[in-house]
């Protein structure tokens, strides 16, 4: 191949994102460029470092393409992180498109030195618990929960949950031994951590309600590497990236979600719905978290209120 | 040169450096740096090294390493080791070769609260060696049983080598600890059998000694309640769901401190000495881990491990042949190298290779099985000449026993280990059924 | 552990190495106290939690910060006491002089390695300081933990340089009784 691009990510090579997106996308780039572009995929942080370093790695040229989460480096990419607040997700496809638009409008220089290829989210997180479902805020009282990110943790703590931020490996150990009562994660990660065996109940927002939370992701390329490509090859990359790629990844995550839900169902776990009115009450109660986020965006020189309003508008329109 | 060939040259170069007395951490780092610059760029290396050290060790998982080492050193300094040996001796000391058996049993008990073989070997040598020599045990048998017993430090959980294996392969530490329990117990049995055969062949080398009264036995057990409490709280707490491994290690440190102080062995001075000992051992491990990390990134950049794994997955070589070849490699290298370095050096290549093969096991079972086999084979390197760290430790502490005698005394235990390796390879279930039983 | 050769050469510079020894031990002791402190907080947190008062917030982060700190501060002592493992079976037959020369070259290379890492970590420190990254719960600035890392690697580089240079210096006949 004329150009070899190293793609670095943190998931193990058996993860669906690796097998059904990265490998497929790499093959597509090879085909579209008639073999001129070879994408070498390095899963599981094989090129060293920890997941929070991925954005810096792509900026510094340690790798050429990286897939990363803004929440890993809190406050550094605040516009992209906006969608990681509680109740800022409908489904993965629509939320991904909304995020991409939001970044086009407000996220201008957040990824300086990097060429963003796609922005997306996963589907909304669910509450997976060991002993009882969570159908109202009262059920959260005193529950020891592993939170997926800071703002969601704040929201859950606001309802009286005892929030911990275990790393996932510790979370698996903690859930199996009962150190924690549950976690808040999408179905998509259930098979990887065998959450269906570690928990017995899953509580999901009823159809029509916003999801509890979703982390946002960015697929980034080193800018110098992108600019250094021939016009033809840059065209190949352009055609394989952008808002349509964001939509596509989002859609795939909806597929992963459905698959994970099937695993939970098949294992015989109880799946309960949290009513729309209850979720709306939670959303209301979580407004201090959103206010704090607006203040943070303001601190960083953005118009926080405008970004938040636009994000909600895009989500509701989708 | 294509990256694959380059990676082989890099590995060859690494071994040349290691065999030229270069410290292993440094050799791996240098090979890693050369590989990184060649396969990526110097700018990339500079950027990578600006966070790599902190990134690597700002880690909850790695914290168990210094914590379990500290726990072992505190136990050593608190004088718990002497009571352990005395308890074992009260119960089995009267058998033929009984003191050697008591030394092995003592090592096993001490190993249940120490994660390091060297610590176990040196601690138990200090207490058991003089007693054995006083009662007419030969230098060979005394040294051999202590060298072999010392390996129980990492065979019986907690175990630093298993922790590092779990970190490298993203396996569950709790399950791996549990998986090592049955093989660890087998090791104790094997060593006991080795001793009893040895003393039947050479009766004058391991005489009997006086039988303890029942009262003495009970009192001896009463002297080791500290160990039993620490062991039960730490491992029981981890399996019982009260805490995670790093939390268990923290509790173990505090508990050993409290009980050691009550026992009277721990003073501010000995605690400080334990901290200093911990610093030396941990820094050595951290430095090797860091060097290995650089080297492994260079290997990943060459894509050699992935290519090798893919090759074996696609080839029709029998999986068992591949496994045996790896075991043989470990045995040969174990004669020359230190166990932890070997794990760090080879697992990135061997683990994906093994996992790509079909042994008819679930992936998790296969990972545990390979982890245990690697642990056992690598740990055997501690007692195989010419480079066996346990042999060196004992030789340094018992200057009157010639090295040739130590080698001779270790031989029966090496044979016992060979049979155990054969058993573990033949019956994979031994390495995971307890996990299935307890966790699933 | 490996005594003789460098040990004698160091004898000529005893005051320097006595001072270095004191500094490295102090460094290691601080690192040890940090990890001890972390163990104490974790235990306290578990006891609290078992008694139903809830765990200490940020316990995990504290352990992570402590681990990086002690890993860094433990390094110089290990360098000074030549605690880094090596394989010597293949070279033991060589004359003492040759082995000593090899050891001192490797020690100097070690010094260069630590110095390089130290320089990069200084860069990392200023980068983290610039980003203003903080840990999630304790809101502790991440650059803090780069400070012990710079000290540990820097001191190791200095120790290794002193050892390597001292060992290479021509050995004067020993007059003082060591
Ligand atoms: Na052990
Ligand atoms: Na050996």
């Amino acid at each position: 191949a004329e150009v070899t691009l190293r793609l670095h990510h943190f998931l193990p090579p058996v993860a669906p994102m690796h097998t059904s997106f990265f490998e497929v996308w790499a093959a597509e780039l090879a085909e579209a460029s008639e073999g001129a572009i070879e994408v070498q995929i390095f899963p599981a942080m094989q090129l060293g470092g920890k997941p929070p370093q991925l954005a810096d790695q792509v900026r510094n040229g340690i790798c050429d393409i990286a897939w990363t989460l803004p929440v890993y480096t809190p406050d550094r990419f605040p516009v992209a992180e906006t969608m990681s607040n509680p109740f800022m997700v409908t489904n993965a496809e629509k939320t991904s498109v909304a995020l991409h638009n939001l970044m086009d409008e407000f996220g201008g220089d957040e990824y300086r030195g990097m060429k963003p290829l796609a922005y997306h989210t996963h589907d909304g997180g669910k509450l997976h618990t060991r002993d009882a479902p969570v159908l109202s805020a009262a059920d959260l009282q005193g529950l020891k929960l592993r939170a997926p990110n800071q703002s969601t943790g704040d929201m859950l703590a606001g309802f009286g949950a005892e929030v911990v931020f275990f790393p996932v490996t510790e979370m698996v150990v903690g859930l199996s031994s009962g150190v924690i009562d549950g976690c808040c994660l999408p179905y998509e990660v259930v098979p990887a951590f065998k959450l269906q065996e570690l928990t017995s109940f899953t509580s999901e927002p009823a159809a029509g309600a916003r999801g509890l939370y979703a982390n946002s992701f960015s697929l980034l390329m080193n800018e110098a590497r992108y600019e250094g490509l021939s016009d033809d090859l840059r065209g190949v990359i352009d055609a394989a990236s952008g808002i349509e790629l964001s939509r596509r990844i989002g859609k795939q995550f909806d597929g992963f979600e459905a698959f994970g839900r099937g695993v939970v169902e098949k294992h015989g776990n109880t799946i309960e719905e949290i009513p729309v009115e209850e979720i709306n009450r939670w959303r209301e109660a979580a407004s201090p978290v959103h206010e704090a986020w607006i203040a943070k965006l303001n601190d960083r020189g953005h118009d926080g209120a405008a970004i938040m309003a636009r994000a909600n508008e895009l989500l509701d329109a989708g | 040169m294509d990256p694959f060939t380059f990676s082989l040259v890099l590995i060859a170069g690494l071994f040349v450096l290691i065999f030229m007395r270069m410290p292993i951490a440094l050799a791996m780092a240098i090979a890693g740096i050369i590989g990184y610059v060649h396969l990526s760029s110097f700018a990339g290396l500079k950027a990578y090294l600006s966070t790599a050290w902190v990134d690597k060790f700002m880690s909850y998982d790695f914290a168990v390493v210094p914590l379990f080492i500290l726990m072992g050193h505190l136990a050593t300094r608190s004088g718990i080791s002497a009571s352990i040996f005395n308890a074992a001796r009260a119960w089995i000391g009267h058998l033929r070769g009984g003191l050697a058996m008591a030394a092995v049993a003592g090592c096993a008990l001490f190993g249940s609260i120490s994660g390091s073989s060297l610590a176990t070997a040196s601690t138990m040598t200090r207490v058991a060696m003089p007693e054995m020599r006083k009662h007419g045990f030969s230098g060979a048998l005394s040294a051999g049983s202590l060298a072999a017993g010392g390996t129980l430090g990492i065979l019986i959980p907690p175990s630093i080598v298993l922790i590092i294996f779990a970190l490298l392969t993203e396996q569950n530490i709790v399950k791996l600890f549990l998986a090592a329990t049955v093989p660890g117990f087998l090791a104790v049995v094997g060593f006991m059998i080795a001793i009893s055969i040895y003393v039947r062949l050479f009766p004058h080398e391991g005489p009997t000694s006086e039988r303890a009264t029942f009262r003495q036995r009970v009192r001896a057990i009463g002297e080791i309640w500290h160990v039993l409490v620490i062991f039960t709280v730490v491992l029981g707490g981890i399996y019982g769901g009260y805490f995670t491994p790093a939390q268990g290690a923290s509790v173990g440190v505090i508990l050993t401190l409290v009980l050691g102080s009550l026992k009277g062995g721990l003073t501010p001075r000995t605690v400080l000495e334990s901290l200093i000992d911990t610093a030396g051992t941990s820094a050595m491990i951290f430095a090797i881990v860091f060097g290995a990390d650089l080297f492994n990134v260079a290997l990943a950049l060459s894509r050699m491990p992935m290519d090798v794994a893919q090759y074996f997955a696609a080839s029709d070589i029998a999986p068992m042949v591949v496994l045996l070849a790896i075991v043989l490699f470990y045995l040969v290298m174990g004669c020359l190298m230190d166990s932890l370095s070997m794990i760090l050096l080879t697992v990135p290549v061997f683990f994906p290779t093994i996992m790509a093969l079909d042994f008819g096991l679930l992936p998790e079972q296969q990972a545990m099985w390979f982890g245990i086999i690697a642990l056992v084979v690598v740990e055997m390197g501690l007692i195989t000449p010419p480079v066996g760290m346990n042999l060196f430790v004992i030789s340094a502490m018992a200057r009157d026993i010639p090295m040739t005698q130590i080698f001779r005394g270790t031989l029966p235990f090496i044979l016992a280990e060979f049979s155990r390796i054969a058993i573990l390879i033949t019956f994979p279930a031994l390495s995971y059924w307890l996990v299935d039983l307890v966790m699933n | 552990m490996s005594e003789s050769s460098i040990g004698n050469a160091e004898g000529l510079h005893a005051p320097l190495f006595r001072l270095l020894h004191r500094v490295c031990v102090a460094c290691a002791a601080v690192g040890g106290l940090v990890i001890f402190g972390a163990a104490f907080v974790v235990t306290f947190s578990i006891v609290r939690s078992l008694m139903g008062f809830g765990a200490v917030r940020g316990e995990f982060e504290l352990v992570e910060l402590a681990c990086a700190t002690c890993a860094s501060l433990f390094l110089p002592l290990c360098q000074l006491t030549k605690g880094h493992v090596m394989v010597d079976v293949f070279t033991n037959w060589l004359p003492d002089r040759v082995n000593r020369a090899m050891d001192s070259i490797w020690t100097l290379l070690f010094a260069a390695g630590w110095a390089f890492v130290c320089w990069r970590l200084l860069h990392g420190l200023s980068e983290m300081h610039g980003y203003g990254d903080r840990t999630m719960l304790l809101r502790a600035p991440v650059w803090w933990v780069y400070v012990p890392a710079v000290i540990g690697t820097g001191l190791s580089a200095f120790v290794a340089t002193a050892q390597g240079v001292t060992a290479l210096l021509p050995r004067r006949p020993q007059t003082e009784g060591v």
Side-chain angles (χ1 to χ4, degrees):
Chain A
E2 190 181 311
V3 176
T4 304
L5 298 176
R6 295 193 171 108
L7 190 161
H8 201 196
H9 71 81
F10 56 89
L11 289 181
V14 289
M17 182 65 180
H18 179 89
T19 53
S20 55
F21 175 71
F22 287 126
E23 286 185 345
V24 175
W25 187 68
E28 286 169 6
L29 281 174
E31 196 183 288
S33 64
E34 288 164 349
I37 296 180
E38 184 201 358
V39 178
Q40 289 183 344
I41 309 169
F42 295 88
M45 300 307 292
Q46 279 173 349
L47 296 184
K50 286 235 191 80
Q53 242 65 48
L54 282 165
D56 276 344
Q57 289 191 346
V58 83
R59 191 170 53 81
N60 291 324
I62 289 175
C63 58
D64 304 308
I65 300 173
W67 182 62
T68 173
L69 281 80
V71 285
Y72 281 161
T73 46
D75 306 356
R76 221 195 275 178
F77 308 103
V79 181
E81 208 184 324
T82 299
M83 289 303 195
S84 305
N85 274 283
F87 308 110
M88 300 295 282
V89 52
T90 51
N91 68 20
E93 182 182 353
K94 289 175 185 167
T95 313
S96 299
V97 173
L99 172 63
H100 200 112
N101 282 318
L102 190 73
M103 288 305 287
D104 282 350
E105 292 170 34
F106 295 94
D109 59 348
E110 205 157 87
Y111 286 101
R112 268 184 309 273
M114 295 166 255
K115 157 83 184 160
L117 302 177
Y119 304 103
H120 71 95
T121 70
H122 56 70
D123 194 11
K126 291 24 180 212
L127 289 166
H128 309 274
T129 43
R130 285 166 52 99
D131 306 319
V134 176
L135 299 178
S136 68
D139 294 339
L140 284 168
Q141 193 68 41
L143 209 58
K144 231 175 162 191
L145 285 179
R146 187 260 182 191
N149 62 33
Q150 179 68 46
S151 50
T152 309
D154 288 347
M155 183 267 286
L156 293 168
F159 292 129
E162 198 183 305
V163 174
V164 296
F165 293 89
F166 283 16
V168 272
T169 45
E170 291 289 329
M171 175 194 82
V172 170
V173 178
L175 270 178
S176 68
S177 60
V179 173
I180 50 178
D181 301 314
C183 60
C184 184
L185 285 169
Y187 284 121
E188 149 232 339
V189 299
V190 164
F193 300 121
K194 300 205 181 70
L195 282 183
Q196 77 276 14
E197 294 173 11
L198 302 174
T199 59
S200 308
F201 298 90
T202 298
S203 316
E204 53 177 33
R210 287 274 181 94
L212 296 177
Y213 89 99
N215 277 325
S216 46
F217 295 79
S218 332
L219 185 65
L220 307 165
M221 184 169 174
N222 178 277
E223 194 167 44
R225 201 71 211 279
Y226 172 77
E227 299 295 347
L229 294 175
S230 70
D231 289 350
D232 285 355
L233 295 185
R234 217 177 310 126
V236 171
I237 299 282
D238 287 342
S241 61
I243 194 162
E244 281 316 308
L245 184 64
S246 301
R247 181 193 305 280
R248 168 178 160 186
I249 302 177
K251 199 168 173 177
Q252 280 194 301
F253 267 83
D254 285 328
F256 302 155
E257 194 71 5
F259 177 80
R261 192 179 193 280
V263 169
V264 171
E265 247 173 347
K266 208 171 136 213
H267 193 259
N269 292 9
T270 310
I271 299 182
E272 304 248 24
E273 283 194 345
I274 312 171
V276 178
E277 312 80 67
E278 182 67 17
I279 291 290
N280 287 341
R281 267 198 296 278
W282 290 15
R283 221 178 129 182
E284 200 61 38
S287 67
V289 176
H290 291 143
E291 294 301 324
W293 192 255
I294 290 175
K296 182 172 286 176
L297 286 168
N298 291 340
D299 276 356
R300 300 268 151 164
H302 296 282
D303 181 349
I307 292 178
M308 212 53 170
R310 181 63 179 144
N312 277 313
E313 190 182 22
L314 286 164
L315 284 171
D316 288 333
Chain B
M1 193 173 356
D2 65 296
F4 190 91
T5 319
F6 176 76
S7 71
L8 297 183
V9 172
L10 203 62
I11 292 175
L14 171 63
F15 280 114
V16 171
L17 290 180
I18 287 177
F19 294 155
M20 285 172 69
R21 311 171 63 87
M22 187 186 272
I24 292 170
L26 179 65
M28 287 201 260
I30 286 180
I33 286 173
I34 292 172
Y36 202 111
V37 172
H38 178 81
L39 296 164
S40 182
S41 66
F42 186 63
L45 176 77
K46 273 168 55 188
Y48 180 61
L49 283 181
S50 65
T51 56
W53 174 271
V54 172
D55 250 10
K56 188 82 200 168
F57 299 120
M58 206 170 107
S59 149
Y60 192 78
D61 298 331
F62 264 106
V64 289
V65 174
L67 285 171
F68 272 134
I69 291 177
L70 178 55
M71 183 172 127
H73 281 305
L74 285 173
T76 308
R77 297 273 173 180
S78 62
I80 285 177
S81 39
S83 0
I84 288 178
F85 176 66
N86 288 333
R89 175 188 182 172
W91 285 84
I92 53 176
H94 60 283
L95 301 175
R96 186 182 288 279
L99 284 186
M101 293 179 181
V104 167
C107 286
L109 267 172
F110 191 77
S112 70
I113 53 170
S114 163
S116 142
S117 284
L118 294 187
T120 308
S122 59
T123 305
M124 294 313 292
T125 300
R126 201 172 298 140
V127 294
M129 180 69 87
E131 291 298 309
M132 279 196 273
R133 299 313 300 275
K134 204 165 73 192
H135 285 80
F137 275 63
S138 71
L141 179 57
S142 314
S145 47
L146 282 166
T151 64
L152 296 169
I154 55 170
L155 286 175
I156 292 180
S159 157
I160 300 295
V161 174
L162 264 191
I163 291 168
I164 299 286
F165 180 86
L167 290 174
L168 278 177
T169 59
E170 299 182 314
Q171 297 296 309
N172 184 331
I173 297 180
V174 176
K175 288 188 178 179
L176 269 172
F177 276 3
L178 205 53
T181 311
V182 174
F185 183 73
L186 277 183
V188 177
V189 173
F191 293 161
M192 295 294 182
I193 294 176
I195 293 172
S196 55
I197 295 178
Y198 190 104
V199 293
R200 270 172 186 75
L201 293 176
F202 309 100
H204 59 283
E205 289 199 33
T208 51
S209 52
E210 70 282 11
R211 178 188 289 268
T213 63
F214 186 73
R215 183 190 291 271
Q216 282 169 324
R217 287 182 177 177
V218 173
R219 191 179 310 138
I221 290 292
E223 288 285 304
I224 61 164
W225 62 271
H226 314 84
V227 182
L228 302 179
V229 168
I230 296 168
F231 173 78
T232 313
V233 170
V234 173
L235 291 180
I238 292 175
Y239 297 124
Y242 296 101
F243 33 76
T244 66
Q247 289 177 323
S250 297
V251 172
V253 164
I254 301 302
L255 203 57
T256 314
L257 178 72
V258 171
L259 295 183
S261 309
L262 287 181
K263 196 175 161 62
L266 284 183
T267 60
R269 186 178 176 81
T270 48
V271 171
L272 188 66
E273 283 167 355
S274 315
L275 288 180
I276 302 297
D277 291 346
T278 305
T281 323
S282 318
M284 185 266 280
I285 293 175
F286 285 132
I288 295 185
V289 166
F290 184 64
D293 196 50
L294 263 171
F295 181 66
N296 291 337
V297 171
L299 280 187
L301 280 168
S302 77
R303 297 192 79 76
M304 186 273 274
M306 302 80 147
D307 289 348
V308 168
Q310 225 153 40
Y311 169 80
F312 279 110
S315 76
D316 49 6
I317 304 174
M320 198 46 94
V321 174
V322 180
L323 179 68
L324 290 178
I326 290 178
V327 167
L328 190 67
F329 177 84
Y330 273 146
L331 287 175
V332 173
M333 291 310 297
C335 295
L336 309 171
M337 272 180 75
D338 147 77
S339 51
L340 190 67
S341 331
M342 232 159 71
I343 286 280
L344 281 161
L345 196 60
T346 57
V347 162
V349 181
F350 289 167
F351 187 71
T353 307
I354 286 292
M355 292 310 281
L357 299 174
D358 181 14
F359 288 92
L361 301 174
L362 297 174
E364 195 189 43
Q365 295 175 339
Q366 193 157 317
M368 281 191 273
W369 181 49
F370 178 65
I372 298 301
I373 292 177
L375 173 77
V376 171
V377 180
V378 155
E379 148 281 321
M380 208 175 129
L382 292 171
I383 55 169
T384 50
V387 178
M389 295 306 283
N390 280 8
L391 305 180
F392 295 166
V393 167
I394 289 167
S395 162
M397 296 176 72
R399 293 273 181 204
D400 61 313
I401 308 175
M403 207 61 186
T404 46
Q405 284 295 306
I406 298 184
F407 287 161
R408 190 172 77 82
T410 324
L411 194 62
F413 299 96
I414 294 180
L415 293 177
E417 282 299 81
F418 268 122
S419 2
R420 187 162 68 109
I421 291 167
I423 292 174
L424 290 175
I425 291 179
T426 321
F427 305 103
L430 287 173
S431 305
Y432 59 75
W433 74 265
L434 192 60
V435 178
D436 287 353
L437 194 75
V438 175
M439 312 283 281
N440 299 333
Chain C
M1 275 210 241
S2 77
E3 352 62 53
S4 64
S5 54
I6 298 185
N8 280 342
E10 282 167 5
L12 301 177
H13 303 267
L16 172 65
F17 283 95
R18 265 205 300 275
L19 175 67
L20 277 181
H21 186 258
R22 232 173 266 157
V23 175
C24 294
V25 165
C27 226
V30 172
L33 290 177
V34 167
I35 197 78
F36 228 131
F40 191 80
V41 173
V42 169
T43 309
F44 177 70
S45 170
I46 290 170
V47 172
R48 260 183 68 106
S49 163
L50 287 178
M51 288 164 61
F53 295 113
V56 174
R57 195 169 156 87
E59 164 210 322
F60 273 76
E61 276 174 15
L62 193 74
V63 170
E64 290 185 340
L65 295 172
C67 183
T69 304
C70 85
S72 308
L73 292 180
F74 284 170
L75 278 180
L77 185 66
C78 185
Q79 196 70 45
L80 189 74
T81 54
K82 300 185 183 65
H84 295 294
V85 282
M86 49 106 154
V87 173
D88 58 3
V89 269
F90 293 93
T91 43
N92 276 344
W93 58 275
L94 290 166
D96 216 29
R97 197 167 38 82
V98 179
N99 280 331
R100 210 162 44 230
M102 260 194 290
D103 285 345
S104 51
I105 293 170
W106 297 156
T107 308
L108 286 174
L109 209 53
F110 231 142
W114 287 131
F116 185 69
V117 174
C118 176
W119 169 53
R120 293 322 300 162
L121 282 170
L122 258 175
H123 180 81
L125 189 156
S126 75
E127 221 175 19
M128 287 299 154
H129 191 261
Y131 286 142
D133 279 5
R134 283 165 182 272
T135 63
M136 230 205 270
L137 292 174
L138 299 173
R139 308 305 290 165
V142 171
W143 66 266
W144 284 3
V145 74
Y146 279 73
V147 174
V150 168
I151 294 175
T153 50
L155 187 54
S156 299
F158 186 79
V159 168
T161 310
Q163 284 176 330
V165 169
T166 315
L168 277 184
L169 288 181
R171 307 219 294 158
R172 277 173 285 147
Q174 290 185 333
T175 44
E176 67 262 66
V178 183

